Amino acid sequence: MVKDFVNGLWGENPIFRAVIGICSALAVTTAGQNGIAMGLALTFVLTCSSILVSILKNIIPSKVRIPCYIIVIATFTTIVDLFMKAYFPALYQVMGIFIPLIVVNCIVLWRAEGFASKMSLIRSIADALGMGLGYAWAITLISIVREILGSGTLFGIHIMGANFTHWVIMLLPPGAFLVMGILVGIMNMITRKPVKNTHCH
């Protein structure tokens, strides 16, 4: 159970390791609060969907399992969408279409089909929380880097001096690709195992 949770946080992180569901990770990550909001929204949908899929896995006919999973995911996505629209309208305006698009996010369907539909409820919850929070910290990190370099702020608070030159590219789509590429590279360097020297002397 702990292994399933940690796997999503690091070993099989959906953004930095599996590199899936990155559309929202690249589109909304211009400010730190956007990353947190998107990460929490996806974590909620992913966890609730995995719980329901795991409970119903023996009831759902295999031939129609994907449409059933989509309906489950769409239900929880709609809950998040309406909640954000009602209580966080300003943030909802910034997030735009990407909250409703959680329904087709590869990560959610990937875990529903690849894990929750095969494993126990407890393991499914651990996996969903790990993957969701793994996505959340990854997308928040991208957001923070882009916000600091692009706007000179952190969660809306100015932290750079008056003479700081804003890296405008960081607020544009190419900036998202640059930041993500660099962070993936750093993560690969951290996790890379040293190659043993097999040459004979």
Side-chain angles (χ1 to χ4, degrees):
M1 179 180 165
V2 175
K3 187 178 179 182
D4 295 325
F5 178 73
V6 174
N7 183 51
L9 289 176
W10 185 261
E12 211 172 337
N13 186 281
I15 298 294
F16 293 145
R17 307 301 285 176
V19 195
I20 62 170
I22 63 170
C23 180
S24 56
L26 299 176
V28 302
T29 52
T30 52
Q33 60 264 31
N34 295 359
I36 292 175
M38 191 70 198
L40 292 177
L42 185 129
T43 301
F44 172 81
V45 173
L46 178 56
T47 304
C48 293
S49 300
S50 291
I51 289 171
L52 207 53
V53 167
S54 183
I55 291 171
L56 300 175
K57 63 178 179 286
N58 296 323
I59 300 172
I60 298 173
S62 61
K63 289 183 179 180
V64 294
R65 68 187 188 284
I66 300 299
C68 289
Y69 297 163
I70 294 292
I71 291 170
V72 169
I73 295 165
T75 301
F76 291 114
T77 301
T78 303
I79 292 171
V80 169
D81 189 57
L82 294 174
F83 177 82
M84 285 194 68
K85 193 172 185 178
Y87 294 102
F88 303 97
L91 195 57
Y92 181 82
Q93 289 293 324
V94 174
M95 307 299 276
I97 190 65
F98 292 97
I99 293 296
L101 280 179
I102 290 175
V103 71
V104 290
N105 191 299
C106 305
I107 300 168
V108 186
L109 191 57
W110 172 42
R111 300 326 287 172
E113 166 68 5
F115 200 94
S117 63
K118 300 177 178 67
M119 301 298 177
S120 66
L121 177 60
I122 299 299
R123 287 194 65 186
S124 296
I125 293 171
D127 175 77
L129 284 173
M131 286 291 168
L133 294 175
Y135 172 89
W137 81 255
I139 194 176
T140 302
L141 180 59
I142 295 171
S143 300
I144 288 171
V145 173
R146 291 182 69 193
E147 183 183 358
I148 291 173
L149 296 178
S151 304
T153 60
L154 180 59
F155 297 111
I157 301 169
H158 284 278
I159 60 170
M160 295 297 192
N163 296 324
F164 175 72
T165 302
H166 295 182
W167 298 20
V168 180
I169 192 172
M170 285 298 160
L171 301 178
L172 301 173
F177 280 102
L178 283 170
V179 172
M180 184 175 167
I182 291 168
L183 291 175
V184 168
I186 291 171
M187 190 162 180
N188 286 339
M189 287 176 62
I190 294 170
T191 57
R192 184 173 57 193
K193 295 177 182 177
V195 179
K196 292 180 180 178
N197 191 346
T198 54
H199 295 292
C200 297
H201 295 287

